[in-house]
Amino acid sequence: MTREKLETEHIVNEAESVMERQLTYLKTQENLTISCDGGTSKGSEAFWTTHVSTPKRKVYLMECREATSESHTAVWIKNFILEVRLNSLNAVAINDTYSYNLC
């Protein structure tokens, strides 16, 4: 197995499988909370993550995106959060100075 095949096929397929299982489980849950936060790597690359939490305090990473070239406006953050398609989201938590513009 080559490194390229591992990176482009096996890891991608496993990530998709894990995400599918997470979504299947989360769709059976109620009163979910979605959270979102951004950060910067040592190499000055911006990244953003979204997580979904259950009432039993289980937390699931839903997205981790490199976003250095993005303008992290309230609209961008809102759209990033809304990419998580779950019917039972009851709360949103954002640690960002733009979050007050989302309401």
Side-chain angles (χ1 to χ4, degrees):
M1 176 182 318
T2 66
R3 177 181 173 172
E4 181 178 342
K5 187 170 185 172
L6 180 66
E7 290 177 349
T8 61
E9 291 181 32
H10 294 288
I11 292 174
V12 172
N13 291 340
E14 183 63 21
E16 289 174 0
S17 175
V18 168
M19 179 61 71
E20 185 177 318
R21 288 187 302 233
Q22 284 182 171
L23 286 172
T24 298
Y25 171 74
L26 290 170
K27 286 178 181 177
T28 68
Q29 303 301 299
E30 295 181 355
N31 301 317
L32 300 173
T33 300
I34 190 167
S35 58
C36 170
D37 198 10
T40 306
S41 70
K42 290 182 181 181
S44 299
E45 295 173 313
F47 61 91
W48 280 79
T49 59
T50 55
H51 301 83
V52 172
S53 305
T54 69
K56 293 184 178 182
R57 299 183 179 173
K58 290 185 177 183
V59 181
Y60 297 87
L61 174 66
M62 303 305 292
E63 178 78 31
C64 182
R65 180 177 302 166
E66 194 281 326
T68 303
S69 62
E70 302 289 343
S71 179
H72 308 139
T73 64
V75 172
W76 186 87
I77 294 168
K78 178 187 77 172
N79 291 336
F80 181 60
I81 291 170
L82 291 175
E83 288 179 15
V84 176
R85 302 280 185 204
L86 292 169
N87 294 330
S88 186
L89 293 173
N90 289 344
V92 176
I94 304 169
N95 181 14
D96 189 79
T97 55
Y98 294 109
S99 60
Y100 66 90
N101 289 325
L102 293 176
C103 299

